[in-house]
Amino acid sequence: MVKFIAEYQVLIFALVKILIMLGFFLNLAPVLVFVERRQAALIQDRVGPNRAVVKVPGFLLKGALATPALLAGVAVAALCFKFFPANPPETGVGRGFWMAELATLVLWSHALVLAGYVRVSGDAANPLEAALRDMRDPRWIFYTGGFLHLALGVLYGASSPANEAEVSKAFALGGPAALAGVLLLVAAYLGYRIPSGTVELRAAGLLHSIADALKFAFKEDFVPPKADKLLHSLGPLISLFPALVTYAIIPFGDALCFGTTNGALDVTKLAETASTVGACAEGQQAVSLQIADLNIGVLYLFAMGGTGIIGAALAGWSSDNKWSLLGGLRAASQMVSYEVAMGLSLVGAFMVYGTPRLGEMVRWQAENTWGIFVQPLAFFLFFAAAIAEQKRTPFDAPEGESEIIAGYFVEYSSFKFAMFYTGEYIELVTSSALLVTIFLGGWTMPFLHRDAVHVAFGDTVLLHSQMSHLVATLLGVGIFFGKVLSMSFFQIFLRWTLPRFRYDQIMAFGWKFMLPAVIANIVLTGLLVLGASSAGPSVASGLRLAADATGFIVIGASAFLAVKFARLLLSPVERARFTSSGVAARVGRVGRTPETPMQA
Amino acid sequence: MGNGIIGKPIPRPSRDAKVQAYLPSVVAGIGVTVKHFFKNTKELAFGQRNDPVLEAFDDGVTTISYPEQKRPYPERFRGVHRLTLREDGNPRCVACLCCSTACPAQCIHIVAGEYADADKKGWEKYPVSFVIDELRCIFCGYCVEACPCDAIRMDTGQHAVPYDSRDQFIYERETLMSFSDPSGRQLTENPKDDPARGHTPDRLKH
């Protein structure tokens, strides 16, 4: 087995990476369909899709929800006390501190969820739940949690040399124990609280996407009688193709460094700490978390993305339908127009980063600052062009439901329609991933370095905490996928906010505004890059300070949004009752609009 | 004649620099949608959403999730018929055929019979079969008006549920007797017209 892995490890790594990316992108497509419907409903004050229901036996649900917590608890306990024990305690104090913070977070967030549940449903199963239900203001759970976080931080930071040994020991042993204990407690409580009978699982409407996918698979595949059979079938294939191949060049994490045996990469020798210069230290080999690290980089993306036009145009032409022909024409002209602006908008980024490779672009951003701060104009131009390329609102004239029904895919049914549909959402994810990689720092966050959390402004170090190579890399992967999710979420918000441009407005915007703007951006960037590279060291150190400041801006903005979100979640609701009609008076007498079980 | 249509005056949107620049308005619009989304999501998730009837005019989701949630009918709503019962569980109906005569849709069919035992006042009739075709019924309420004994009422507060086949809409005597008013009463509040008590209804007295 080990020999087999050693022999084919390049292939195995490639397959694993393809599986990760394919899993992420393909699963995100139905999730985004769900998100889009949910947003549409809730923005318009509707309930939205919530009818699809699966009846699950309680024990299955118990297993599905409690097992991960159980496994995580056991894993924490096993890893910290059996395999990587903190001996002497000084080595594990940082780890213990973060685990204690995590345990606190899990504890108060679960308490808050439980309090919310019992306060809504009203049925408390034990005195604890009754206390949660009857407490005056559940916001105190949140405040207490925040206080505990702070108290732990103060305890950790203020350990004097006199009591340092005790504090180290307490954190090194107490942290993992607390985290494992809390996770096991959560698992046990889930097992205890989820009802044993049949549970109706609605997953907030997520099942509708799955039902739709199933429905597509079983629908009749109708081809118009006078359509070109071959081209009609090729259309969705060519349309889906670029969406599925472009993610091959998107790096989803930092390179993993492995030691070598006899000059060959050895998977059992994962590096303890990462080198801060270059990809890996001497004598180590890197496995980049990117399916294909092409030297033409982002140009491959434009080459592949360009083929999408053919799919839409073919579909529109071959369907033998005037609406679809109009849609196909619109799609072709729009995508060709915006392809130009999209390509040129990245030239400035090439100049600043000095490379077309996406991985190296992210490394530049990790060392300096996010791309959006050095190329703000290019960010917006690329964003607009990317939306136009995906044919999404406000650039959705090729589909234009109110004018030409569904545009180029009006004559498609069954799974061919699903391919267009899925392709659109995968393109959405791809463009989000590209925006994140080129402009929003990819897998990096400010102050999160390859070896440590290192908060500094100029030469003043504010916080420094070491991390192991594996933790840092996994954190990076999580950050990348999280950023892509948020970006996709934001793009869907755009769809529900902006009305559609008229066709001539789209063309005018593309050729008369976007193109001059991207060319101006290139000239401006060229001048600035030349100026910055020929200026003295004082300018260089000033730029470095500015780069550090952008890190604080990002963290500050994130913290601001997080606090705002928490305030929204915890804000109480006060409403005016309107009981002038007879029906409302009847309802008011009962207390609320009655709920009845479904009939017939 | 010819006042024209008087509508609500709506101010034209201003075309100042902020609107014409597009991007500031886009940001403001995204702010509106994001706020709506998160507020409504939070209220749905935390069970704080509006009561669709009592708080129908407030901001937020006011959808009635039919059929789990139902807007109650007004108190005088004419729903599915029920046959009211006497205290001994027999129908109050004396099979006088007033209702079936009054029925404009001719959806009531009654076969009359006589109580055999003397305790039940041998002269009194009762419906051997009492059938209402709920598909033909136009829910006019004439049968209720016509009944001298308050034996048929339409105060169940329910409408006929959609069924799979037509014969399920034919409500037999036992079905009609099984219904109750919204508070669960199968008798009627009106004791004086109870034929079993030996009263002669006032309007039949000469």
Side-chain angles (χ1 to χ4, degrees):
Chain A
M1 188 62 197
V2 176
K3 194 156 172 281
F4 177 82
I5 291 174
E7 210 154 302
Y8 295 99
Q9 59 192 7
V10 177
L11 195 66
I12 291 172
F13 275 128
L15 280 177
V16 169
K17 285 186 276 190
I18 289 174
L19 276 182
I20 291 174
M21 286 303 254
L22 203 64
F24 180 69
F25 277 64
L26 284 185
N27 282 316
L28 210 51
V31 170
L32 288 181
V33 173
F34 154 74
V35 168
E36 190 157 273
R37 290 173 179 173
R38 204 98 296 281
Q39 283 193 3
L42 292 172
I43 284 166
Q44 298 162 13
D45 289 349
R46 288 187 281 114
V47 170
N50 66 345
R51 282 307 156 97
V53 63
V54 170
K55 288 186 175 141
V56 187
F59 71 90
L60 271 185
L61 203 60
K62 274 183 192 178
L65 291 178
T67 311
L70 187 72
L71 288 181
V74 171
V76 167
L79 287 176
C80 291
F81 294 110
K82 180 96 171 68
F83 297 108
F84 308 113
N87 268 335
E90 288 78 29
T91 56
V93 60
R95 188 177 71 187
F97 167 67
W98 288 112
M99 285 192 169
E101 290 277 17
L102 195 59
T104 314
L105 178 74
V106 172
L107 199 60
W108 72 255
S109 58
H110 279 69
L112 208 55
V113 169
L114 189 64
Y117 173 74
V118 289
R119 286 168 88 88
V120 169
S121 67
D123 56 334
N126 51 43
L128 170 72
E129 289 186 2
L132 285 175
R133 183 188 60 196
D134 300 330
M135 77 185 291
R136 205 162 52 84
D137 189 352
R139 274 184 282 189
W140 281 105
I141 300 173
F142 175 67
Y143 298 145
T144 313
F147 175 74
L148 278 177
H149 282 306
L150 274 182
L152 278 173
V154 168
L155 193 66
Y156 179 59
S159 55
S160 64
N163 59 13
E164 197 161 6
E166 282 90 59
V167 172
S168 308
K169 205 171 174 194
F171 272 119
L173 296 177
L179 184 59
V182 164
L183 287 171
L184 292 178
L185 184 70
V186 167
Y189 204 81
L190 280 170
Y192 154 69
R193 197 61 175 86
I194 294 171
S196 305
T198 313
V199 180
E200 288 193 349
L201 194 64
R202 294 201 170 190
L206 186 56
L207 299 169
H208 278 263
S209 313
I210 298 163
D212 279 350
L214 276 178
K215 195 177 75 175
F216 278 135
F218 292 106
K219 282 258 171 167
E220 184 196 352
D221 178 20
F222 178 78
V223 181
K226 289 191 182 169
D228 189 318
K229 300 270 181 308
L230 176 67
L231 295 185
H232 189 266
S233 305
L234 269 180
L237 284 175
I238 298 178
S239 229
L240 190 61
F241 171 74
L244 281 179
V245 293
T246 39
Y247 65 76
I249 58 154
I250 293 170
F252 58 94
D254 208 345
L256 272 175
C257 294
F258 288 97
T260 52
T261 315
N262 305 329
L265 189 151
D266 189 344
V267 280
T268 55
K269 288 187 187 166
L270 182 67
E272 287 284 318
T273 51
S275 72
T276 43
V277 253
C280 283
E282 284 286 317
Q284 290 181 344
Q285 283 196 5
V287 175
S288 66
L289 296 188
Q290 179 181 12
I291 296 170
D293 191 7
L294 297 180
N295 55 5
I296 52 168
V298 82
L299 299 180
Y300 163 83
L301 181 106
F302 293 132
M304 287 299 130
T307 57
I309 303 170
I310 306 172
L314 267 188
W317 172 254
S318 64
S319 294
D320 183 39
N321 180 313
K322 285 167 191 165
W323 305 124
S324 62
L325 179 61
L326 277 174
L329 283 175
R330 285 181 181 193
S333 56
Q334 172 180 322
M335 289 170 85
V336 167
S337 307
Y338 281 83
E339 197 89 57
V340 181
M342 191 176 176
L344 287 178
S345 67
L346 288 190
V347 173
F350 294 160
M351 282 198 255
V352 175
Y353 300 147
T355 173
R357 289 182 179 224
L358 291 169
E360 286 171 25
M361 286 185 184
V362 178
R363 280 204 188 93
W364 188 93
Q365 295 178 73
E367 285 160 19
N368 298 285
T369 180
W370 284 9
I372 187 171
F373 294 111
V374 286
Q375 287 281 304
L377 185 60
F379 171 74
F380 288 108
L381 294 171
F382 182 79
F383 197 0
I387 296 173
E389 282 294 298
Q390 302 161 43
K391 309 178 279 289
R392 286 174 67 82
T393 346
F395 299 98
D396 64 341
E399 287 169 35
E401 294 95 338
S402 50
E403 308 150 30
I404 48 174
I405 314 175
Y408 58 92
F409 55 77
V410 67
E411 289 289 5
Y412 282 88
S413 53
S414 176
F415 223 76
K416 285 180 189 161
F417 176 79
M419 281 166 85
F420 276 118
Y421 206 71
T422 319
E424 186 187 316
Y425 285 93
I426 295 179
E427 269 177 41
L428 173 74
V429 189
T430 312
S431 76
S432 302
L434 269 180
L435 275 163
V436 164
T437 309
I438 300 174
F439 292 103
L440 298 177
W443 68 79
T444 67
M445 278 302 265
F447 312 124
L448 192 66
H449 294 261
R450 296 190 73 190
D451 55 343
V453 180
H454 182 80
V455 184
F457 186 71
D459 294 328
T460 326
V461 178
L462 301 174
L463 178 83
H464 185 91
S465 173
Q466 286 296 129
M467 269 191 305
S468 79
H469 177 51
L470 183 67
V471 170
T473 312
L474 287 182
L475 208 56
V477 172
I479 286 170
F480 173 76
F481 285 133
K483 279 184 188 174
V484 173
L485 268 174
S486 328
M487 200 63 212
S488 311
F489 205 70
F490 179 72
Q491 290 209 45
I492 295 175
F493 268 125
L494 276 184
R495 183 191 165 170
W496 294 118
T497 306
L498 302 177
R500 182 183 308 138
F501 283 138
R502 224 166 43 217
Y503 179 67
D504 63 309
Q505 287 173 329
I506 292 179
M507 284 295 122
F509 184 71
W511 291 108
K512 292 185 196 161
F513 175 75
M514 293 276 283
L515 194 57
V518 290
I519 291 170
N521 183 53
I522 293 170
V523 174
L524 198 67
T525 310
L527 289 176
L528 285 177
V529 166
L530 266 183
S533 61
S534 60
S538 61
V539 173
S541 67
L543 283 176
R544 176 121 301 276
L545 275 187
D548 288 344
T550 59
F552 283 103
I553 291 174
V554 170
I555 296 296
S558 315
F560 174 73
L561 287 179
V563 169
K564 211 157 178 211
F565 189 64
R567 276 178 60 90
L568 172 98
L569 282 186
L570 296 168
S571 60
V573 185
E574 280 168 17
R575 287 212 170 82
R577 288 195 153 189
F578 180 85
T579 48
S580 75
S581 80
V583 171
R586 282 187 74 189
V587 171
R589 245 176 277 137
V590 185
R592 57 189 290 198
T593 302
E595 305 259 349
T596 55
M598 277 174 80
Q599 298 175 337
Chain B
M1 191 75 189
N3 281 339
I5 298 166
I6 301 166
K8 186 181 166 194
I10 295 172
R12 289 266 148 213
S14 64
R15 290 168 78 86
D16 55 9
K18 196 184 156 212
V19 172
Q20 292 300 90
Y22 190 67
L23 275 181
S25 303
V26 167
V27 173
I30 291 172
V32 171
T33 42
V34 167
K35 201 174 138 202
H36 262 265
F37 173 77
F38 281 116
K39 187 169 158 291
N40 284 336
T41 305
K42 171 217 158 197
E43 290 183 359
L44 273 190
F46 289 1
Q48 297 169 335
R49 57 174 286 205
N50 288 332
D51 187 289
V53 174
L54 293 176
E55 289 143 20
F57 295 93
D58 262 358
D59 289 340
V61 177
T62 50
T63 314
I64 294 181
S65 296
Y66 189 86
E68 291 96 341
Q69 253 182 342
K70 286 175 182 165
R71 184 195 294 277
Y73 289 115
E75 292 191 29
R76 294 179 61 188
F77 170 76
R78 292 195 290 266
V80 163
H81 316 74
R82 69 179 175 111
L83 285 179
T84 55
L85 303 185
R86 303 175 189 199
E87 271 150 19
D88 62 0
N90 285 314
R92 286 176 65 127
C93 176
V94 293
C96 65
L97 306 189
C98 282
C99 53
S100 60
T101 310
C103 181
Q106 298 184 4
C107 66
I108 306 179
H109 181 259
I110 303 171
V111 176
E114 272 183 18
Y115 285 117
D117 50 340
D119 291 351
K120 294 282 182 195
K121 299 188 183 343
W123 46 268
E124 195 185 322
K125 293 204 289 179
Y126 76 102
V128 176
S129 133
F130 193 111
V131 180
I132 300 180
D133 184 347
E134 298 285 350
L135 274 180
R136 292 193 71 140
C137 176
I138 58 168
F139 294 90
C140 61
Y142 285 4
C143 50
V144 181
E145 300 288 325
C147 182
C149 303
D150 202 15
I152 185 166
R153 296 186 72 111
M154 295 176 79
D155 60 357
T156 49
Q158 295 174 3
H159 53 256
V161 192
Y163 295 112
D164 303 327
S165 63
R166 280 167 183 270
D167 55 340
Q168 284 169 293
F169 287 92
I170 313 288
Y171 283 12
E172 303 276 355
R173 193 185 86 144
E174 304 309 320
T175 314
L176 292 165
M177 282 165 63
S178 70
F179 294 138
S180 59
D181 72 354
S183 61
R185 281 166 52 87
Q186 290 190 299
L187 309 179
T188 171
E189 289 159 8
N190 188 359
K192 73 175 186 184
D193 287 344
D194 189 347
R197 291 185 177 223
H199 284 286
T200 308
D202 287 343
R203 59 179 171 275
L204 297 182
K205 280 181 183 161
H206 294 291

